[in-house]
Amino acid sequence: MILDGCHEGKHTPKLVEGICPQCGASVELFVRMNGAPGEAGTLVHEETCSCGYVFHVGDFAEKYGITL
């Protein structure tokens, strides 16, 4: 599927900074901005903090102090 114009922004994950609940460090996370019910506002990629905490795909961004 080819995306262009204003529609592309709805499908492109947004890069945001979340707070690690284990050590308090700032971590860059990709969040889904749109999608099926229950998908908007969730993490798109698994990320690992330098302390070893894992941010899992599908976790809600609010869990990490992110307000969309």
Side-chain angles (χ1 to χ4, degrees):
M1 173 188 259
I2 296 176
L3 303 174
D4 59 80
C6 63
H7 298 289
E8 186 173 352
K10 294 180 181 178
H11 299 283
T12 304
K14 183 177 180 181
L15 179 63
V16 296
E17 287 192 13
I19 304 299
C20 176
Q22 185 166 302
C23 72
S26 180
V27 179
E28 291 185 336
L29 304 166
F30 285 97
V31 176
R32 184 182 319 263
M33 299 308 294
N34 224 340
E39 288 184 356
T42 60
L43 303 185
V44 178
H45 296 286
E46 185 172 284
E47 299 292 337
T48 305
C49 182
S50 58
C51 73
Y53 182 84
V54 179
F55 296 81
H56 295 283
V57 171
D59 283 352
F60 283 96
E62 291 94 22
K63 181 177 178 179
Y64 305 114
I66 300 167
T67 304
L68 300 174

